[in-house]
Amino acid sequence: MNLHEFIQLALAEDVGDGDHTSLSTIPANAKKRARLLVKESGILAGVEVAKAVFDEVDPTFQVEVLMEDGASIKPGDIVLTVSGNARNILTAERLVLNCMQRMSGIATHTRELVNLLQGTRARLLDTRKTTPNFRICEKMATKIGGAVNHRFGLYDQILIKDNHVDYAGGIEAAITKAVAYLNETGRNLKIEIETRNRAEVEEVLRVGNVDIILLDNFTPDGIRDMVRLIDRRYVTEASGGIDETNLRAYAETGVDYISSGALTHQIKSLDLSLKAY
């Protein structure tokens, strides 16, 4: 799904056979304006999405962007103004706010975590723990906040997790089958494999043929030991139970990436509003 498709589906969900409140109360030819106001401090995200929503609803809208994605915002700031057909402004309002409020909440939390990594080699990764059909916006938001987008879906990387290993018959069998699949299909995808203990890491090092070793649910000391063992032969990623309380400890282990589902789930949306003026 691309952004255009997402917006079309979201509008269809919201509008149905018509915005009957606006149709019944606002003259068809009324021209009005509104401005998007900030009511809570944080990191702004979703401006480009808002522009796309306005364009989809009414290409004749006049939109003036005053603040860009990634900007630090505070109460009272004006992000953008929009002018045009009043009914259409009201049709676009809720989708614009739903996207921007959640995206800004994600970007704000992401930026807070990214700041904790300063001075280390570690970079923050998002995950597939996203809202169904809203992933495109949530991953845009984590990137705006300073994280690195991990795979977008099941189709753009091979990530062999614990269940894959168990179903495939072990680490060596899983890796061997993945490599054979790529050769047979002609696909050029990176292979990442999850490990749960030192023995599994040692087996991956013996088998080889992967690009990234995921170290899942290790302690910071355990990650540090595995990073030494791997010795930069493969890219390393830490995951599992990592949040703002222990992120810095994991980053100081020398691991390359730290992934966190918390970037996109259990996020509080930032308070924004679209007001007539």
Side-chain angles (χ1 to χ4, degrees), residues 1-241:
M1 182 187 298
N2 58 39
L3 184 60
H4 176 70
E5 292 168 333
F6 159 72
I7 291 170
Q8 287 186 320
L9 289 172
L11 286 170
E13 174 188 58
D14 199 29
V15 177
D17 69 348
D19 174 6
H20 300 301
T21 308
S22 296
L23 290 171
S24 65
T25 61
I26 309 295
N29 60 352
K31 302 290 185 181
K32 299 293 181 180
R33 60 185 183 174
R35 54 192 175 190
L36 199 149
L37 302 176
V38 176
K39 301 174 72 176
E40 186 176 0
S41 297
I43 301 299
L44 180 65
V47 174
E48 292 302 313
V49 175
K51 288 165 58 180
V53 171
F54 284 129
D55 187 62
E56 181 69 30
V57 171
D58 187 341
T60 69
F61 277 149
Q62 297 296 311
V63 179
E64 182 181 5
V65 174
L66 305 175
M67 305 186 75
E68 300 288 350
D69 284 332
S72 295
I73 53 177
K74 63 185 186 305
D77 285 342
I78 301 174
V79 174
L80 58 80
T81 64
V82 57
S83 59
N85 182 274
R87 288 180 177 179
N88 291 341
I89 290 174
L90 295 172
T91 296
E93 175 186 4
R94 181 46 51 194
L95 180 56
V96 166
L97 289 175
N98 282 348
C99 292
M100 291 195 66
Q101 287 178 312
R102 179 157 177 80
M103 289 179 69
S104 295
I106 290 170
T108 298
H109 184 57
T110 301
R111 182 70 58 84
E112 292 169 353
L113 297 187
V114 167
N115 288 341
L116 294 175
L117 302 179
Q118 290 185 1
T120 73
R121 69 178 291 119
R123 301 189 70 186
L124 194 62
L125 289 175
D126 56 23
T127 72
R128 286 172 50 244
K129 295 177 182 178
T130 56
T131 307
N133 295 328
F134 196 55
R135 181 174 296 173
I136 186 170
C137 293
E138 291 182 340
K139 281 189 172 279
M140 286 173 64
T142 60
K143 190 171 183 179
I144 289 167
V148 176
N149 290 150
H150 206 318
R151 59 178 181 158
F152 195 87
L154 295 171
Y155 56 86
D156 55 347
Q157 181 179 319
I158 288 182
L159 175 44
I160 305 170
K161 303 199 76 175
D162 53 355
N163 284 338
H164 298 96
V165 169
D166 292 342
Y167 285 170
I171 284 176
E172 183 168 8
I175 294 174
T176 300
K177 291 174 182 177
V179 171
Y181 174 81
L182 292 180
N183 289 335
E184 291 165 2
T185 60
R187 286 179 168 82
N188 182 24
L189 302 175
K190 288 185 177 181
I191 298 177
E192 179 172 1
I193 187 162
E194 179 179 285
T195 56
R196 296 165 284 190
N197 51 56
R198 183 185 182 95
E200 291 188 344
V201 174
E202 290 176 341
E203 185 172 2
V204 172
L205 293 176
R206 177 182 63 79
V207 175
N209 288 321
V210 301
D211 301 285
I212 306 165
I213 298 178
L214 173 59
L215 305 164
D216 190 49
N217 286 312
F218 284 74
T219 65
D221 285 341
I223 294 286
R224 184 175 288 105
D225 289 342
M226 294 305 98
V227 167
R228 292 196 189 104
L229 178 64
I230 296 166
D231 194 27
R232 305 294 171 203
R233 286 175 282 179
Y234 300 98
V235 173
T236 54
E237 176 188 337
S239 71

